[in-house]
Structure formats: C-alpha cells, structure tokens
Amino acid sequence: MFYRLGLVEHFGLEWSKLVSFFINIERGYSDSCSYHNRAHAASVLHQMYMLLTHGGLASTCALACSGADGENPNEQLVTMACLVAAAVHDFEHRGVDNGFLVKTMDKRAVRYNDQQPNEQHHVAAAFAVLLRPECNFLSRLPPADFRKLRSLVLDLVAATDMAKHGSLVKTFVGMLDTAASSGATREQASGRAQNAEAHPSTVGFKPTSSEEASLFLRVAMKCADLGHLALSWDQHITWVEKLEAEFFAQGDMEKAQGLPVSFLMDRDKPGASSTQVGFFDFMVLPLFRSLGRATRLATPMLVAVEANYRRWCSVQPANERRGTA
C-alpha cells in the first residue's frame, strides 16, 4: 500500500524500517483473540485504504494535516496517518473490553486512569515500537509533520472506542446538517441553486477546517473498524461468530472472578448473534448512513451494510431483536 500510493518515494521512507515496524505490529496481535487479531487489523487496514482511495477521503480530508488556518493541506500525510492508525488500532488487544480492565483494576486501567485503557494502550505501545531505531521509518519526517501525523493517529484510534460511538455520530450528523443548511442559504442568496443530479461534483461534504476533516476521518475509521458489516453475508456471519466467542470468553473470566457478567457475554444467555437487528438499528445504520450522506462514493459500502441488515431481519425473530453487539 505504501509503495502503491507513492508514500515511500514521497516521504523518503526507509523500506527496511517500514517492514520491521509492521512485522512487529503484526506480532502484537494475539492469535488467542478470536476477533481482535491480526486478521481483523488487516481487514480494517484494507477498509480504510478503500475509503481513502476509492472513497476519495484522502483528498477530501487533506485539511486534517494542514497548517494554521488550513494552510498547506497534506493529502499524503493524511493517507499515511490513516493507514498507520488502522494497522495499530487494536495493537496488543487481550480480548477484553475497557469495562473489564477497569473493574479488575488492570495495569492498563490504572496507568490511564480508567480512561479508554484499551485504546490508550494500543496507540501508546505502537508508538513505542515506532521509536525503536530499527522500526522508525518516520525518522526523516520533519518534526512538524510528525506531530500532525501523531495527533491524527491518536484521534483515530481513540475514536474506535464503542463508548464514544453515539456522541461521534451525533456530532458528525450535526456538522452535516449545519453545512447543508448554510450551503442552501448561500445558493438561494446568490440565485445559483443547482440540480445535484446534473452536477454530481456538488454532492457531498467538503470540510473547511482541520477539525471538520478530522471528524470526517474519525467516522471513516469507525466504519472501517466495523467493516465486516459490509462484507458478504457468509464472511460477515463468520466475524459475528468470532466476536461472540470472544465476548463469551470474557464472560467466563468474569464468572470465575465473581464479577457481574457484562452484557452479551454470558454464554448461558443470548449473545451478540441474537441481537444484530437492534445493533444495526441503533448503532450501525446511523453511522454508515451518515458516511454515505457525506460522500456518495461510500454508497457501495452502505448498500452492502443494508443488505446484511435485511438478511438479519429475515432470520432473527422479532422478539429477539433487542440489544446491541
């Protein structure tokens, strides 16, 4: 990907260090995790690559790595930051959620004061790998560019926390509403209202600041992280089963320690595979529809998600549709 996108040549990256970094990152994904493993990381990386290239987000969100007042937007730096974030977003995941780490007073929760201990660890540990001399493929990056890249990677990894899902989508939809309203007002005032179908280039959201561009990319990262929802039905089902197995494994640990079993993690009760319609209704569809609204180039992803949703509706009894996964 780095070669194909011209990042190696553009930034003068040292190939041996780039390879060493990603080998070490891959090793940090444990095969003992049925869901949060290297296959998941690779899937998220490919989904993000697709959104950046075929979805057009690399150019649309170039302001995410711009200078003061939006000067000098850097499409290549945004692309590299997004790919790094996707690759490391679950680095050294142990197959348990933030709630488990907090209530067991795990070292990660203590270190990060109970604030997103998983996400904080993933990105901190990944940067520790990067700073090893044999892995630092960004050593030639100008300090200002490195700070921009690091800041965006931190934001993107933090955005994968499901506890932040609702507020993220709400903020993004509010931004789209504001942009649509102000855009319509400008068109009416100038007498230049145009037919969107006749002028498809006018369709979609164009960030006007680094903050808006970063928010757009955080939503894209969320969609990439949940990318299995847009795969074929058989592939999607496989990932749901993997997630359910990981959930049940955490529930077993909670029972063994005398702790309350977390939602959907008790193998003696319905699990994630029994609550997918509710999950799509309240979490998935609002997310992917907001992305599809922001860029029509993401429509194929949304179409695939909605197809899987209809399939779930056809196989899951109405009385089992409550809850989220």
Side-chain angles (χ1 to χ4, degrees), residues 162-180:
M162 287 302 293
K164 307 293 185 181
H165 182 98
S167 61
L168 176 66
V169 175
K170 181 179 180 180
T171 301
F172 186 59
V173 171
M175 183 177 71
L176 296 179
D177 289 343
T178 299

Side-chain angles (χ1 to χ4, degrees), residues 41-163:
S43 176
V44 175
L45 178 60
H46 281 86
Q47 293 280 357
M48 181 57 88
Y49 171 84
M50 179 273 294
L51 289 171
L52 289 168
T53 56
H54 302 297
L57 294 194
S59 58
T60 300
C61 296
L63 281 173
C65 283
S66 61
D69 300 321
E71 298 175 352
N72 303 315
N74 195 328
E75 179 178 337
Q76 290 82 5
L77 195 62
V78 165
T79 298
M80 187 159 63
C82 289
L83 294 180
V84 170
V88 309
H89 82 283
D90 277 328
F91 182 59
E92 296 187 342
H93 203 294
R94 300 209 304 255
V96 293
D97 65 9
N98 284 331
F100 182 86
L101 296 177
V102 170
K103 65 187 177 184
T104 59
M105 290 294 289
D106 185 90
K107 290 181 179 179
R108 294 182 182 180
V110 173
R111 180 177 298 116
Y112 298 111
N113 298 314
D114 297 346
Q115 301 302 306
Q116 296 185 294
N118 265 325
E119 292 75 21
Q120 295 274 12
H121 176 81
H122 300 326
V123 73
F127 270 100
V129 172
L130 176 68
L131 294 180
R132 297 176 191 170
E134 71 276 15
C135 297
N136 194 355
F137 68 95
L138 298 177
S139 59
R140 298 176 181 173
L141 206 62
D145 284 348
F146 180 81
R147 287 193 294 271
K148 293 173 186 175
L149 178 142
R150 175 171 162 78
S151 178
L152 183 55
V153 171
L154 295 177
D155 285 347
L156 294 178
V157 175
T160 62
D161 184 358
M162 287 302 293

Side-chain angles (χ1 to χ4, degrees), residues 277-317:
V277 172
F279 181 49
F280 273 76
D281 280 337
F282 296 106
M283 307 286 279
V284 176
L285 293 176
L287 172 68
F288 282 89
R289 285 171 177 167
S290 70
L291 182 68
R293 177 183 170 190
T295 170
R296 295 201 314 179
L297 293 175
T299 298
M301 196 177 199
L302 174 60
V303 169
V305 168
E306 291 180 332
N308 283 331
Y309 171 66
R310 290 192 294 272
R311 189 73 176 266
W312 278 114
C313 288
S314 71
V315 301
Q316 189 173 314

